[in-house]
Amino acid sequence: MTIHMHTLIYSAKVKITGVPVYTCGECSRYEPLPSIKRDLGMLIKELGGSSDKRQVSFAERNEWANVLKETFAGFTTVELSHLEEAINSAIQGRIDLLLDIYQFASASVDREWMEETAIRLSQLTQSSPERAK
């Protein structure tokens, strides 16, 4: 199985881009990463029976997907251990950034911003890099 960013089509009208999936090299079957399934399900529920043709970026709604998308886009070598190292580094960098944002939001006493940042942090901290292998 390999991991890559995929575009899903929902209800033949909505393109959901930037979805990290596992793909089987033998049967070409794909499955979203376990760490993003809940958020992907929430997005699909939010889209409901939308009849408008449109495109939605999942990577803009999920930190884990965003980190993977950015890491894959900047990755130039085929060495798997280097990719794992790059993903781990990107995750740690994003967590550090979100913690700084949370601290600033807390100092500003902005509860809504704090809650939003806490949700974004939980998307990364509840999903270890090992689950994406």
Side-chain angles (χ1 to χ4, degrees), residues 31-47:
E31 179 178 334
L33 270 61
S35 58
I36 62 101
K37 279 185 179 180
R38 185 179 63 90
D39 289 339
L40 182 59
M42 288 170 42
L43 173 59
I44 289 171
K45 187 175 181 179
E46 181 183 313
L47 292 170

Side-chain angles (χ1 to χ4, degrees), residues 57-130:
S57 171
F58 184 70
E60 290 178 4
R61 296 170 171 257
N62 181 277
E63 289 297 320
W64 185 237
N66 194 292
V67 166
L68 288 175
K69 180 182 174 187
E70 290 176 0
T71 303
F72 290 162
F75 200 70
T76 57
T77 182
V78 292
E79 184 65 39
L80 189 58
S81 64
H82 294 271
L83 176 60
E84 183 177 352
E85 185 179 312
I87 290 171
N88 286 333
S89 178
I91 289 170
Q92 189 57 55
R94 184 64 56 90
I95 288 171
D96 291 346
L97 173 66
L98 290 171
L99 287 172
D100 289 344
I101 291 171
Y102 188 88
Q103 184 177 19
F104 185 79
S106 178
S108 301
V109 194
D110 189 332
R111 298 277 182 223
E112 187 176 327
W113 196 9
M114 290 169 62
E115 288 175 20
E116 178 186 314
T117 305
I119 290 168
R120 292 171 64 191
L121 270 165
S122 73
Q123 290 173 347
L124 291 173
T125 57
Q126 291 178 358
S127 305
S128 69
E130 288 74 35

